[in-house]
Amino acid sequence: MTEAFKGQAFKGWTIAVTGASSGMGRAIARHLAAEGAFVAGCGRNLLELKETERLIKEAGGRFRPVQNDLAEPGAGQAFVREAAAAQGRLDAVICNAAVIDVDPIAKGDPASWRRMIAINLISVAETFQAAIEIMRPTGRPGWLVAISSLASRMEGMGMYGASKAGLNSLCQSLRLELEKDQIRVSTVIPGAFATNLGRDMPPEVRDRFLEEMRAKGPHAAPDETGRSAIMGLPEDIARAVAFVLAQPPSLNIPELVIRPQMDLTIPLE
């Protein structure tokens, strides 16, 4: 995405993006705002949200920062209601916020699991539930997009993989519930992309992750943009989300898998 204001594909839209303070969420918010949408973005770190706001406004877009903690009951519901109230409508909700805990289950911390499931799964259900309550009475098209992970389809990804597999199942159920409505539900499933999610990994896991990257050889080396055959960029996910939103409501995109050229796993042991 260039720094300049790009176009008007989503002019007049109000879009809520969770986890907009960094990584994929920031890239999604910037991309959609650059296409004319009013974007409300939430996150725990207000300073980082303000940086997202600065980047968007400098490019000519509109952004409303909302500080919250999606692990708290009702936080996602309050966020989308505030986003809708700001412009009098709600066209799309992108549930991107997530945390990761890849400790082996036999050694894991149940308190960490509970927080992860609260953010990665329960908050999405709450957020989408509130969005449906807003969208359904209008009769207008609406889009609910969840950012999942290929960890949901891999063995040995611990409770993180379980939380993302649960997210996939949640969205599948919602798609069936909303088939006769104008509201579409899509799950974007990324592989390895450069985000801040790794901040939640223990140092020893990050080290093994980097070792595997080096073992892949020269293809793993990033180019001048930061892209490599083994690691994509957050902007790639932003474009995938925009593609989903650009489709007519008569077209259902249940899942969109996007991954770099080469596979990468997170070794847990």
Side-chain angles (χ1 to χ4, degrees):
M1 186 184 74
T2 62
E3 293 298 319
F5 191 78
K6 289 180 62 179
Q8 299 293 304
F10 304 114
K11 182 179 180 180
W13 286 41
T14 296
I15 302 177
V17 180
T18 71
S21 57
S22 64
M24 290 182 189
R26 175 179 285 172
I28 292 166
R30 292 182 68 188
H31 189 91
L32 299 177
E35 291 290 356
F38 170 87
V39 179
C42 74
R44 286 173 289 170
N45 189 316
L46 184 58
L47 289 177
E48 291 297 320
L49 279 173
K50 289 291 188 181
E51 177 63 11
T52 301
E53 181 181 32
R54 183 189 69 79
L55 292 168
I56 287 174
K57 289 188 172 180
E58 284 187 355
R62 296 176 298 157
F63 181 78
R64 182 185 183 96
V66 177
Q67 185 181 26
N68 67 7
D69 183 352
L70 290 171
E72 296 295 325
Q77 294 170 320
F79 168 57
V80 293
R81 288 168 184 155
E82 180 175 342
Q87 296 292 303
R89 64 183 293 160
L90 183 66
D91 299 276
V93 175
I94 317 300
C95 280
N96 158 81
V99 294
I100 185 170
D101 179 343
V102 294
D103 284 341
I105 292 173
K107 301 176 182 178
D109 178 5
S112 176
W113 298 343
R114 283 190 286 271
R115 178 171 178 81
M116 181 170 58
I117 291 172
I119 294 172
N120 295 8
L121 181 57
I122 296 174
S123 79
V124 178
E126 289 186 339
T127 302
F128 282 171
Q129 183 185 66
I132 293 165
E133 291 173 358
I134 294 167
M135 293 174 174
R136 184 175 258 164
T138 71
R140 292 195 306 263
W143 284 261
L144 307 177
V145 181
I147 308 300
S148 184
S149 170
L150 273 178
S152 64
R153 299 182 173 182
M154 297 164 60
E155 295 182 353
M157 294 305 297
M159 289 297 288
Y160 175 68
S163 73
K164 289 298 187 177
L167 178 61
N168 295 351
S169 180
L170 166 71
C171 291
Q172 183 178 9
S173 294
L174 267 181
R175 277 191 291 273
L176 294 175
E177 289 183 27
L178 298 172
E179 275 187 337
K180 295 181 180 179
D181 289 275
Q182 286 283 85
I183 304 170
R184 299 284 72 82
V185 183
S186 296
T187 312
V188 175
I189 304 178
F193 285 82
T195 74
N196 285 343
L197 201 61
R199 68 184 182 275
D200 298 317
M201 294 181 185
E204 61 273 15
V205 175
R206 285 199 299 270
D207 290 344
R208 291 196 295 271
F209 189 78
L210 293 173
E211 286 174 9
E212 182 175 353
M213 288 184 66
R214 287 191 289 268
K216 291 288 186 178
H219 286 88
D223 62 18
E224 64 279 2
T225 70
R227 184 189 309 282
S228 75
I230 201 167
M231 185 72 69
L233 298 177
E235 289 75 17
D236 301 325
I237 305 302
R239 286 192 296 272
V241 169
F243 170 79
V244 170
L245 299 183
Q247 306 311 309
S250 58
L251 182 63
N252 199 331
I253 302 180
E255 294 182 342
L256 180 59
V257 177
I258 177 170
R259 61 197 302 174
Q261 174 184 339
M262 300 175 71
D263 285 335
L264 184 65
T265 60
I266 302 175
L268 302 186
E269 292 287 2

